[in-house]
Amino acid sequence: MAKLKVAFYWAASCGGCEIAQLEIGEKILKVAEVADIVFWPVAIDAKYKDVEAMADGSIDVCLFNGAIRNSEQEHLAHMLRKKSKVMIAYGSCAYEGGVPGLANMFDRASIFERVYHETPSTNNKHKVFPEPSHKVHEGVLCIPEFNDTVKTLRQTVDVDYIIPGCPPEEKTTWLALTALIEGKLPPKGTVITDNVKAVCDDCPRKRDVKKVKKVYRTYEIITDPEICLLEQGLLCAGVATRGGCGAPCPQANMPCTGCYGPVEGAIDQGAHFISAMASVIDSKDPDEIQKIIDDIHDPVGTVYRYSLPDSLLRRARIQ
Amino acid sequence: MTKNKAKVGVYICHCGSNIAGVVDVKDVAAYAQGLPSVAAVKDYVYMCSDPGQNIIKEDIKHLGLNRVVVACCSPSLHELTFRRACQEAGLNPYLFQQANIREQCSWVTEDAALATVKAKALVSGAVSRVVHQEPLEKREVEINPNTLVIGGGIAGIQAALEIADGGYKVYLVEKTPSVGGHMAQLDKTFPTLDCSSCILTPKMTQAGSHPNIELMVYSEVEEISGYVGNFKVKVRKKAKYVDEEKCTGCGICQTKCPIRVDSEFDAGIGKRKAIYTPFAQAVPNVPVIVAEECTYFIKGKCRACEKFCEPGAIDFEQKDEIVEIDVGAIIASTGYGVFDPTPMAHYGYGRLDNVITSLEFERLVSSAGPTGGKIQLKDGSTPTSIAIAHCIGSRDEKYHEYCSRVCCMYALKYSHLIKEKTEADVYQMYIDMRCFGKGYEEFYKRLSEEGVKFIRGKVGEVTDRAISDEEKGKLIVLAEDSLLGNVMRVPVDMVILCVALEPQADAENTARKLGISRSADGFYLERHPKLDPVATTTDGVFVAGCCQGPKDIPDTVAQASAAAARALAMISKGKVEVEAATAHIDEERCSGCRICNDLCPFSSITFDEEKKVSRVNDALCKGCGVCVAACPSGIISGRHFTAEQIIAEIEGVLA
């Protein structure tokens, strides 16, 4: 049997997904037995033009991580889609926009203003901002165009499967790779994890009915290691997040931040999380409720940490 | 049936000129014609009329419609009408959707063009939604023929007797040692002036001896679970320390008990013992010992009552008992509390002698009260002038906005009683005289002729700071006579504060147990203020008397009889339909996070400890959607309100 041709690519991401792909350890040898890596900017020396030269559909699988933030990423997403039989969104950024997607609270102008002008360490009196092309003596210099809005991979091209996580846990990656190697692919559109229930199902902490009287940030409280973190006032997103990760964060006394995305079938993870929190705030007094809510710092970054571009609202409206 | 094969009929109602006077119904109909899946569109002058409904039925039969949208008034008005019409034509009633183009379009604007645009959007939303609707079946459950009545005041007694007389078993639970409630505390009743006890005690006795009534006094409902037709109730029977079987009601224990405390029944102006029956005609005539007050319980000795009790009925070893009962219907008749005017320092209640509340006056003037009915001041002398201050805590934005509905009338009654028993001048300081019941206006007119002085103005202050000799040693009532426009200082000997009726202090707790709502004023909320004033939003739970809102005795009795009739009707039917549009938890995807567990206002969600999943009891669920919205996994779906249906409707409206 001919070896599988596999491509990896990174768009707007931190690089953690590349590390996560290597986290499968010695199992990589098994991958090497059955697959050839034809494109992987972080590890092998192949150029865009090499990909361009490949025949359409000649790559068996592309694992694409990172959100779509600029014209280069958008171009590569389209190109790789064309060349690949199976397109996989790997990790939270490709799946839902991820942390870079929080930039959708702003637009290009306000981001440039902040980054290239306002920051205290920047000296840019003439407000020189990046532009896609710039004429210099030697010719025209080009850089990718920075978009107003961060998009998910699915909002850019047709995607076959999703491997969630920031980054995906080793066991989730291996689950997907096994399916690929064995040719036992699930129905198109499947988010590949080994649990369709929320993280709570993986979490060993003891759960009771929920009543939240005060919200804490992680440094403000020493939690009971046995009891559900949400019941102790930490905004643990596990209730609103797809399981399959094995709940490593709550087991390390850190609240889940929601990186595996919404539970199968749920439409907007953040909205579901907010709605659930609103339901368990234990007060009927409007002033007290306001005080409890005021303790939630950075609400968008808390409930939509990985999913703002994939939410129903997608982005903030900038006046 | 696949969605592709949906055949939707759209019917636009003119509602006479209510809708057609503003919305261009023909234009809306033409627009609907072009919507996907729409197979028939008609407009008609009154869709809810028989001919209107027949149009729908005929189209279902002849055009093979499998979905129906009617654009007309609010679903709360005619959803049932059109659902029934669909059902009669063989279409599942849940395949009907109503677009409200009257209350939400024609009635709220004069701009015909905009109203028409909005009507189109709502019709589009309804069509888009109805395609996703699924047939649902209502289910029937058997009804337990027993009824629980909570609260043994006149409302509870009346309701219990009606049902018991109808041949069915009633558990009447009362938290004090005797039935009778506030009515037993009253002296005479307006406007007929018949003696309250005289008309009440026969009913109390009846309730106490009726073979179909199981009276549980000194008892409180601890917990209610279950649903219409099948409630399970836990009742705490508090320890009386008196054996009911042995006690003969002779009363010797009460004479011998050395401890005297304020009597609740006498509104604090009289005393009772630590072992007591609240009043002489108590039903049952069995005393209780209040352990917190009893010398034996506090110091370990005394036992005077036990020594003198011939039948040996005293039992210091008695313990609270939890009794479990099964009932099909519940009537809440838990009554009212009385507003405490102490926080209104300017009236001097609690600070100035002889400023008393209406309930205290009621006990003062009662021939069975501590003074034997003698109207007297703290020092024992007879007052020569009395001011009656209306609306204390009622019709007052700082306390209760509502009118307590009985104060004007009892204030008139007081005038009469004072005039009958003393020579005193009587002043009524009122905002408005509200004498709206049968024979009430006539009573007012009669009193106006008895020499009572009516001053139209709310009392601003009661003080003992005299500024003239005439005022010395008196209570001076400051009020503005708003008819004459001058501020008056009226020196009197006694001031009666007509305090508001308010929800019982534990009303919130009781409402929670019953799974019913309260209105903004804190009283229990009826299902509909006009057309269903006895039922609540929880099927099988009815309300009667002042727990639903202040009312006088005739209204209370009428409502109690109505509640009994509703319970009897349910019992005689034997079965009850339960809501089909309930919430559903997909157990395959429930992570058991327990967010939803404590939210259900109808206590229909339970947690399966073994499987670690939450579960909805269909018979209890009212389909309110609280858990659906709260579920962070989005795996609780509201039948008839699925995410798919709601999003389809939104997309339709925005299309």
Side-chain angles (χ1 to χ4, degrees):
Chain A
M1 196 182 93
K3 278 186 158 188
L4 290 171
K5 288 195 168 70
V6 182
F8 296 92
Y9 186 69
W10 55 0
S13 64
C14 65
C17 281
E18 324 289 327
I19 313 294
Q21 282 153 2
L22 291 173
E23 213 189 352
I24 59 173
E26 74 284 357
K27 290 177 192 151
I28 193 93
L29 299 173
K30 178 133 198 224
V31 177
E33 272 175 34
V34 295
D36 281 332
I37 295 167
V38 295
F39 181 60
W40 194 4
V42 76
I44 65 169
D45 188 17
K47 306 294 186 205
Y48 291 171
K49 63 176 172 21
D50 302 328
V51 182
E52 220 161 356
M54 294 176 193
D56 287 359
S58 62
I59 301 173
D60 291 293
V61 183
C62 174
L63 279 90
F64 191 107
N65 76 73
I68 308 300
R69 137 62 72 225
N70 65 34
S71 57
E72 180 189 14
Q73 293 153 354
E74 201 156 358
H75 173 66
L76 259 288
H78 284 290
M79 191 202 295
L80 286 165
R81 171 69 273 191
K82 218 159 68 181
K83 307 291 177 192
S84 310
K85 291 196 187 85
V86 173
M87 181 63 136
I88 297 181
Y90 186 89
S92 301
C93 298
Y95 173 22
E96 302 176 284
V99 171
L102 286 170
N104 284 358
M105 291 302 285
F106 308 93
D107 60 2
R108 175 171 48 209
S110 54
I111 292 170
F112 280 8
E113 176 65 24
R114 176 71 189 159
V115 174
Y116 296 106
H117 183 235
E118 275 176 12
T119 39
S121 58
T122 304
N123 184 359
N124 184 1
K125 267 186 240 161
H126 304 293
K127 289 203 176 188
V128 181
F129 290 163
E131 43 192 284
S133 59
H134 186 73
K135 232 171 159 177
V136 290
H137 184 68
E138 292 83 358
V140 180
L141 289 174
C142 292
I143 56 167
E145 182 155 0
F146 190 94
N147 298 336
D148 258 336
T149 300
V150 175
K151 288 195 293 186
T152 69
L153 186 60
R154 270 192 300 186
Q155 288 163 359
T156 312
V157 297
D158 188 36
V159 170
D160 298 294
Y161 301 106
I162 288 155
I163 302 174
C166 181
E169 282 293 306
E170 179 267 330
K171 64 171 181 168
T172 310
T173 304
W174 187 241
L175 188 70
L177 289 178
T178 316
L180 280 171
I181 292 165
E182 293 174 357
K184 290 177 185 163
L185 287 166
K188 184 172 168 165
T190 300
V191 180
I192 300 173
T193 54
D194 59 8
N195 196 346
V196 293
K197 296 185 175 190
V199 174
C200 304
D201 192 55
D202 293 340
C203 180
R205 284 174 181 267
K206 218 175 138 295
R207 293 188 291 282
D208 205 334
V209 292
K210 310 266 180 293
K211 281 193 159 98
V212 175
K213 201 97 201 170
K214 179 166 169 55
V215 172
Y216 296 95
R217 303 172 85 176
T218 46
Y219 70 87
E220 291 174 325
I221 183 173
I222 294 173
T223 51
D224 182 316
E226 306 288 328
I227 297 171
C228 168
L229 290 172
L230 192 57
E231 282 162 37
Q232 300 184 61
L234 285 172
L235 291 179
C236 179
V239 290
T241 305
R242 177 190 294 266
C245 55
C249 305
Q251 290 182 74
N253 293 330
M254 289 303 284
C256 167
T257 54
C259 74
Y260 267 45
V263 174
E264 181 76 46
I267 289 167
D268 186 310
Q269 184 186 17
H272 276 292
F273 190 26
I274 296 171
S275 190
M277 284 313 301
S279 303
V280 296
I281 285 179
D282 185 22
S283 174
K284 290 198 167 68
D285 171 30
D287 293 336
E288 194 187 9
I289 292 170
Q290 189 58 51
K291 258 175 75 186
I292 298 171
I293 296 172
D294 286 346
D295 279 339
I296 302 175
H297 295 264
D298 185 17
V300 175
T302 304
V303 302
Y304 286 111
R305 183 163 303 173
Y306 306 98
S307 63
L308 185 60
D310 201 40
S311 68
L312 285 170
L313 295 176
R314 292 195 176 190
R315 61 160 301 122
R317 222 168 124 178
I318 309 292
Q319 297 292 339
Chain B
M1 185 189 304
T2 64
K3 280 155 200 163
N4 306 336
K5 287 186 190 156
K7 284 178 88 173
V8 184
V10 180
Y11 302 89
I12 321 286
C13 182
H14 299 191
C15 197
S17 61
N18 270 307
I19 293 171
V22 182
V23 172
D24 183 343
V25 286
K26 297 283 175 198
D27 190 23
V28 176
Y31 168 79
Q33 202 83 55
L35 293 171
S37 307
V38 170
V41 181
K42 287 181 182 138
D43 64 278
Y44 186 69
V45 62
Y46 287 112
M47 281 310 301
C48 59
S49 67
D50 270 355
Q53 293 184 47
N54 281 336
I55 297 175
I56 301 174
K57 291 183 197 168
E58 291 300 309
D59 283 1
I60 292 173
K61 284 178 198 153
H62 297 124
L63 302 177
L65 298 180
N66 52 32
R67 296 286 192 284
V68 171
V69 169
V70 179
C72 50
C73 53
S74 158
S76 65
L77 202 61
H78 275 311
E79 188 173 56
L80 277 181
T81 312
F82 294 118
R83 277 186 179 176
R84 216 174 289 136
C86 289
Q87 193 159 26
E88 281 164 16
L91 186 67
N92 186 286
Y94 288 89
L95 300 177
F96 160 77
Q97 180 63 20
Q98 191 162 349
N100 183 355
I101 60 167
R102 192 179 74 174
E103 283 87 338
Q104 293 181 2
C105 293
S106 63
W107 275 4
V108 289
T109 181
E110 285 165 10
D111 188 324
L114 281 179
T116 305
V117 169
K118 187 171 174 191
K120 286 178 185 172
L122 292 177
V123 168
S124 165
V127 169
S128 170
R129 180 193 210 281
V130 81
V131 170
H132 294 275
Q133 282 172 210
E134 284 160 16
L136 298 174
E137 295 302 331
K138 287 210 169 184
R139 289 158 311 112
E140 283 188 332
V141 292
E142 299 263 337
I143 285 181
N144 179 316
N146 302 337
T147 303
L148 166 69
V149 176
I150 309 172
I154 181 58
I157 293 173
Q158 179 71 23
L161 284 174
E162 297 269 13
I163 296 169
D165 284 345
Y168 294 100
K169 167 120 188 165
V170 180
Y171 296 95
L172 178 56
V173 174
E174 163 61 38
K175 71 176 168 189
T176 71
S178 169
V179 293
H182 278 111
M183 188 174 168
Q185 291 176 280
L186 309 182
D187 180 42
K188 301 247 166 94
T189 57
F190 60 77
T192 46
L193 296 175
D194 34 8
C195 148
S196 189
S197 310
C198 310
I199 55 175
L200 177 66
T201 41
K203 278 191 177 281
M204 288 166 56
T205 317
Q206 245 181 303
S209 59
H210 202 294
N212 284 337
I213 297 180
E214 186 169 332
L215 191 55
M216 302 164 93
V217 297
Y218 213 45
S219 300
E220 284 188 60
V221 170
E222 286 261 300
E223 194 187 310
I224 299 172
S225 59
Y227 47 89
V228 57
N230 298 279
F231 293 106
K232 288 200 178 304
V233 185
K234 282 185 188 162
V235 180
R236 176 180 293 273
K237 284 180 100 169
K238 289 180 277 187
K240 291 178 173 173
Y241 306 107
V242 175
D243 187 331
E244 291 166 52
E245 302 297 318
K246 291 182 185 164
C247 175
T248 58
C250 70
I252 185 93
C253 50
Q254 301 186 51
T255 349
K256 298 298 176 186
C257 175
I259 301 297
R260 282 164 61 84
V261 293
D262 284 346
S263 157
E264 298 85 359
F265 183 78
D266 280 333
I269 66 164
K271 298 283 180 190
R272 63 162 174 81
K273 297 296 182 66
I275 180 166
Y276 78 109
T277 49
F279 52 103
Q281 303 82 5
V283 172
N285 187 18
V286 177
V288 299
I289 296 175
V290 182
E292 295 76 26
E293 296 161 2
C294 169
T295 313
Y296 171 69
F297 280 104
I298 297 167
K299 293 184 178 160
K301 48 188 172 188
C302 177
R303 303 178 87 126
C305 49
E306 194 183 30
K307 264 172 242 157
F308 288 93
C309 180
E310 255 182 57
I314 306 292
D315 175 8
F316 290 111
E317 300 304 312
Q318 234 179 46
K319 295 267 177 297
D320 286 9
E321 194 189 336
I322 303 286
V323 183
E324 288 192 30
I325 54 177
D326 294 333
V327 296
I330 298 174
I331 296 174
S333 49
T334 52
Y336 61 94
V338 177
F339 175 73
D340 174 9
T342 316
M344 300 172 124
H346 50 294
Y347 292 140
Y349 178 77
R351 178 166 52 86
L352 301 173
D353 282 349
N354 303 316
V355 175
I356 63 171
T357 68
S358 40
L359 197 58
E360 288 165 12
F361 181 77
E362 205 73 60
R363 294 311 302 150
L364 190 65
V365 78
S366 168
S367 50
T371 62
K374 183 168 179 271
I375 300 173
Q376 62 181 38
L377 300 173
K378 270 272 167 71
D379 62 8
S381 63
T382 306
T384 59
S385 52
I386 299 178
I388 302 176
H390 289 228
C391 299
I392 305 302
S394 309
R395 304 184 68 192
D396 184 333
E397 283 178 6
K398 285 193 196 131
Y399 300 93
H400 300 302
E401 271 188 69
Y402 57 80
C403 163
S404 290
R405 295 179 93 241
V406 291
C407 321
C408 285
M409 288 305 295
Y410 71 60
L412 289 175
K413 177 187 81 178
Y414 292 172
S415 304
H416 177 82
L417 297 176
I418 295 163
K419 288 281 178 196
E420 201 175 65
K421 296 191 174 190
T422 70
E423 300 286 310
D425 289 330
V426 182
Y427 300 89
Q428 298 267 2
M429 277 93 165
Y430 66 98
I431 307 178
D432 301 288
M433 288 306 295
R434 295 185 164 175
C435 310
F436 48 84
K438 187 172 181 176
Y440 291 8
E441 183 65 23
E442 294 88 326
F443 189 64
Y444 174 35
K445 192 152 180 284
R446 176 176 155 196
L447 263 294
S448 315
E449 286 157 10
E450 282 185 16
V452 178
K453 297 186 176 66
F454 288 92
I455 296 168
R456 187 179 184 274
K458 194 179 173 185
V459 171
E461 191 185 344
V462 178
T463 176
D464 55 356
R465 290 177 139 191
I467 55 170
S468 67
D469 287 348
E470 188 204 359
E471 289 181 359
K472 268 198 187 125
K474 297 269 185 183
L475 293 168
I476 303 102
V477 182
L478 276 70
E480 186 193 348
D481 185 329
S482 60
L483 292 178
L484 297 175
N486 51 3
V487 178
M488 304 181 73
R489 292 176 64 90
V490 183
V492 294
D493 293 328
M494 176 187 275
V495 177
I496 304 169
L497 302 176
C498 296
V499 289
L501 273 54
E502 60 183 16
Q504 289 276 23
D506 58 359
E508 182 180 357
N509 195 8
T510 313
R512 175 104 193 150
K513 286 179 195 162
L514 288 163
I516 61 176
S517 313
R518 299 192 302 152
S519 41
D521 54 22
F523 291 104
Y524 300 153
L525 188 65
E526 64 286 341
R527 182 172 285 185
H528 190 282
K530 296 178 188 72
L531 301 179
D532 209 351
V534 176
T536 64
T537 44
T538 297
D539 289 339
V541 177
F542 305 99
V543 285
C546 288
C547 61
Q548 180 255 344
K551 54 179 68 68
D552 56 16
I553 296 167
D555 284 2
T556 296
V557 171
Q559 198 183 17
S561 297
R566 291 294 294 274
L568 281 170
M570 230 178 73
I571 296 165
S572 65
K573 198 177 171 197
K575 283 181 178 167
V576 70
E577 267 191 351
V578 289
E579 181 54 64
T582 51
H584 173 71
I585 295 181
D586 179 354
E587 288 181 21
E588 295 298 307
R589 292 191 293 140
C590 173
S591 71
C593 74
R594 307 193 66 179
I595 287 271
C596 60
N597 283 193
D598 208 28
L599 301 177
C600 179
F602 310 100
S603 311
S604 76
I605 301 180
T606 49
F607 183 66
D608 183 336
E609 287 285 354
E610 208 170 293
K611 287 191 171 172
K612 303 276 178 219
V613 292
S614 298
R615 200 164 285 145
V616 174
N617 180 338
D618 264 0
L620 274 177
C621 174
K622 292 280 163 295
C624 72
V626 164
C627 60
V628 179
C631 177
S633 293
I635 57 105
I636 309 184
S637 57
R639 293 192 179 101
H640 205 55
F641 291 93
T642 64
E644 191 188 29
Q645 289 162 3
I646 291 169
I647 287 171
E649 186 168 9
I650 294 171
E651 283 172 349
V653 168
L654 299 176

